[in-house]
């Protein structure tokens, strides 16, 4: 049996997969089983932030595997200590909780906000306001947090206590506030929702409301964080600091990890027995994460991300068949004039280019280390497909 048949016989069909079997990768390109190469503008949905098998990352991860691959969180490890210190240092947060995915990071944030409020005000102040068209994960709780009706099917009953308000509408948000709200959760750029950035004035209004009412501001930076927008955190582009920020996707360069960062105000809310994760803070993930953070902190790295971003935005804006370009940094949404995004993504595979979609847009989340040469080659393929 070939790989695809074997796979489909045994793995649940929860994804619309393309008929490509990726086998190995180096730098910013992946190869399939037949040795065909692909320029990767998707980086595993923004996870392979340093591309495939970056030398320093491989070395750190392999050394860690040989030393100690896992221990329970009843003990300490030096590598988790180092990763947490680096994370808090680079983000300005006080403390971190480690999980293994974006959904888990958001679950932690939601639990933290509810307990913060419970400890201070007692029961009943438990609602979290999220935005229409948001995406926060696939667990029952984070599905409930996700402000899209099509995610609220089949799996009833969902978790109570989530209210959805339209993005960028300050008045609608204010009208939703009552004595039962403990958190407001936002994505600075709605990723799965179609690469839609929030307005700075709306973000600032959320911060102000949260300060006035002692509501925790939660930023889901699972997709926008870790250098993706040209800053370590997307919040830096909006001039605010949320009380809680969650990260995952690109944080460990392709190893499963998620984290919930808390500012001083709420960093001691979760106490022994109130939250946990067997794999959370796994040494291998932490070792990979340390390398990612070191590179992001290195001189000029983030400036380079911003420079490449401007280069890509400029090229796309002048491309035939492109209606508009949205996003920030290397998180880019492309609205097409006539062609359908999924058709372009499928056609690009034949030409050796990996792309993503987000709603009706083509979405780019290339590795942060992508070279100009690869950008030119990938955009060249896209241009050719749009002209067909
Ligand atoms: C991908 C994503 C998630 C879910 O992350 P998983 O690791 O798949 O659980 C949550 N929030 C946002 C904004 C995301 O982009």
């Amino acid at each position: 049996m070939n790989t695809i048949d074997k796979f489909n016989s045994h793995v649940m069909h929860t994804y619309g997969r393309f008929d490509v079997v990726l086998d190995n990768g180096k730098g910013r390109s992946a190869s399939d089983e037949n040795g065909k190469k692909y320029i990767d503008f998707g980086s595993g949905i923004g996870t392979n932030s340093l591309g495939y098998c970056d030398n320093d990352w491989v070395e750190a991860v392999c050394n860690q595997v040989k030393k100690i691959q896992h221990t329970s969180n009843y003990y300490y490890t030096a590598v988790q200590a180092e990763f947490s210190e680096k994370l808090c240092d680079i983000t300005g947060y006080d403390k971190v909780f480690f999980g293994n995915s974006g959904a888990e990071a958001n679950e932690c944030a939601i639990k933290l906000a509810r307990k913060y409020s419970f400890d201070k005000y007692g029961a009943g102040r438990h609602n979290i306001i999220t935005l229409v068209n948001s995406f926060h994960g696939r667990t029952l709780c984070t599905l409930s947090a996700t402000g899209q009706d099509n995610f609220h099917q089949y799996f009833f009953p969902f978790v109570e206590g989530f209210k959805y308000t339209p993005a960028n509408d300050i008045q609608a948000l204010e009208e939703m506030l009552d004595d039962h709200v403990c958190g407001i959760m936002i994505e600075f750029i709605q990723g799965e929702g179609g690469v839609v950035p929030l307005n700075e004035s709306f973000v600032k209004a959320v911060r102000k409301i949260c300060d006035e009412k002692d509501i925790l501001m939660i930023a889901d930076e699972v997709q926008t964080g870790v250098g993706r927008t040209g800053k370590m955190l997307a919040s830096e582009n909006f001039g605010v600091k949320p009380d809680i920020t969650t990260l995952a996707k690109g944080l460990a360069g392709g190893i499963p990890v998620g984290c919930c960062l808390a500012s001083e105000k709420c960093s001691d809310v979760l106490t022994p027995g109130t939250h946990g994760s067997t794999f959370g803070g796994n040494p291998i993930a932490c070792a990979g994460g340390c390398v990612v953070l070191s590179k992001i902190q290195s001189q000029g790295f983030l400036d380079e991300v911003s420079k490449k971003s401007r280069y890509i935005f400029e090229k796309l804006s002048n491309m035939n068949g492109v209606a508009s370009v949205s996003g920030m940094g290397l998180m880019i949404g492309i609205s097409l004039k006539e062609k359908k995004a999924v058709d372009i993504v499928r056609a690009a595979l034949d030409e050796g280019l990996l792309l993503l979609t987000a709603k009706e847009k083509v979405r780019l989340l290339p590795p942060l280390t992508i070279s100009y040469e690869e950008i030119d080659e990938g955009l060249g393929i896209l241009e050719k497909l749009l002209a067909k």
Side-chain angles (χ1 to χ4, degrees):
M1 234 194 244
N2 70 28
T3 300
I4 291 177
D5 291 340
K6 195 192 291 182
F7 197 108
N8 285 332
S9 300
H10 303 290
V11 179
M12 290 188 198
H13 295 202
T14 56
Y15 294 92
R17 291 187 170 84
F18 297 104
D19 284 346
V20 175
V21 182
L22 292 178
D23 182 69
N24 63 80
K26 190 67 204 163
R28 280 75 53 171
S29 69
S31 298
D32 67 16
E33 283 189 319
N34 307 315
K36 178 177 167 183
K37 279 205 158 77
Y38 299 84
I39 292 175
D40 193 351
F41 274 8
S43 62
I45 318 190
T47 58
N48 298 332
S49 37
L50 305 178
Y52 292 96
C53 307
D54 170 87
N55 289 338
D56 297 328
W57 180 87
V58 167
E59 194 185 332
V61 168
C62 289
N63 285 342
Q64 189 59 51
V65 171
K66 289 179 202 160
K67 213 169 157 198
I68 185 166
Q69 83 277 28
H70 179 75
T71 176
S72 85
N73 277 306
Y74 293 111
Y75 312 111
Y76 296 91
T77 59
V79 70
Q80 191 178 144
E82 192 192 331
F83 187 38
S84 61
E85 183 185 41
K86 272 194 154 73
L87 252 179
C88 290
D89 181 42
I90 187 172
T91 61
Y93 280 94
D94 189 46
K95 288 199 177 73
V96 59
F97 175 86
F98 290 114
N100 312 286
S101 67
E104 279 177 81
N106 289 336
E107 287 265 352
C108 179
I110 292 161
K111 283 177 73 175
L112 202 166
R114 285 186 170 178
K115 185 163 184 297
Y116 172 84
S117 209
F118 184 91
D119 290 349
K120 229 168 147 176
Y121 302 100
R125 197 177 181 271
H126 54 242
N127 283 348
I128 312 261
I129 296 176
T130 68
L131 300 182
V132 172
N133 196 44
S134 57
F135 179 79
H136 296 299
R138 294 286 191 166
T139 61
L140 267 173
C141 179
T142 54
L143 274 182
S144 305
T146 293
Q148 302 188 51
D149 288 342
N150 57 320
F151 286 96
H152 301 155
Q153 303 181 71
Y154 321 121
F155 311 116
F156 302 101
F158 285 88
V159 177
E160 286 174 44
F162 292 95
K163 302 245 182 290
Y164 319 106
T165 192
N168 298 326
D169 187 337
I170 299 170
Q171 198 186 336
L173 173 63
E174 280 171 345
E175 282 165 14
M176 193 166 268
L177 294 168
D178 57 21
D179 296 339
H180 305 293
V181 179
C182 67
I184 300 175
M185 181 150 139
I186 60 164
E187 294 160 271
F188 289 104
I189 306 168
Q190 297 187 327
E192 303 307 307
V195 196
V196 190
L198 295 182
N199 297 339
E200 192 170 322
S201 56
F202 179 75
V203 169
K204 294 220 157 107
V206 170
R207 182 63 277 178
K208 188 155 165 277
I209 288 166
C210 288
D211 285 338
E212 283 167 5
K213 305 212 174 254
D214 197 17
I215 292 170
L216 294 187
M217 178 179 181
I218 306 169
D220 176 350
E221 292 226 35
V222 167
Q223 192 162 152
T224 56
V226 201
R228 183 50 60 188
T229 66
K231 303 277 186 198
M232 172 61 195
L233 299 178
S235 57
E236 296 167 54
N237 297 302
F238 291 82
V240 296
K241 186 174 172 205
D243 302 298
I244 299 174
T245 287
T246 59
L247 302 174
K249 291 198 165 85
L251 183 55
I255 300 181
V257 72
C259 82
C260 174
L261 293 156
S263 57
E264 217 165 339
K265 175 176 175 175
C266 57
S267 61
D268 292 323
V269 168
L270 296 175
T271 48
T274 58
H275 199 46
S277 162
T278 300
F279 278 120
N282 170 270
I284 301 168
C286 289
C290 282
V291 177
V292 170
L293 294 186
S294 294
K295 297 237 169 180
I296 283 181
Q297 270 185 309
S298 66
Q299 182 74 33
F301 186 96
L302 288 175
D303 290 342
E304 201 51 40
V305 169
S306 298
K307 252 168 58 193
K308 285 174 203 161
S309 169
R310 285 193 292 274
Y311 183 75
I312 296 175
F313 268 83
E314 163 121 25
K315 281 205 145 191
L316 284 173
S317 305
N318 296 320
M319 200 178 277
N320 281 332
V322 171
S324 62
V325 192
S326 66
M328 215 179 253
L330 293 178
M331 177 172 179
I332 300 167
I334 310 167
S335 292
L336 303 178
K337 280 186 180 143
E338 281 146 29
K339 298 238 157 55
K340 273 194 150 139
V342 275
D343 296 338
I344 291 295
V345 172
R346 192 164 286 118
L349 279 179
D350 292 334
E351 305 294 326
L353 175 66
L354 303 180
L355 297 169
L356 299 166
T357 58
K359 290 278 162 76
E360 73 296 340
K361 294 182 187 174
V362 171
R363 175 173 43 155
L364 312 185
L365 292 172
L368 304 180
T369 52
I370 191 144
S371 68
Y372 285 96
E373 207 181 338
E374 286 150 332
I375 292 172
D376 285 343
E377 204 177 325
L379 292 182
I381 293 170
L382 183 62
E383 184 161 36
K384 198 175 95 187
L385 292 172
L386 290 176
K388 259 189 189 168

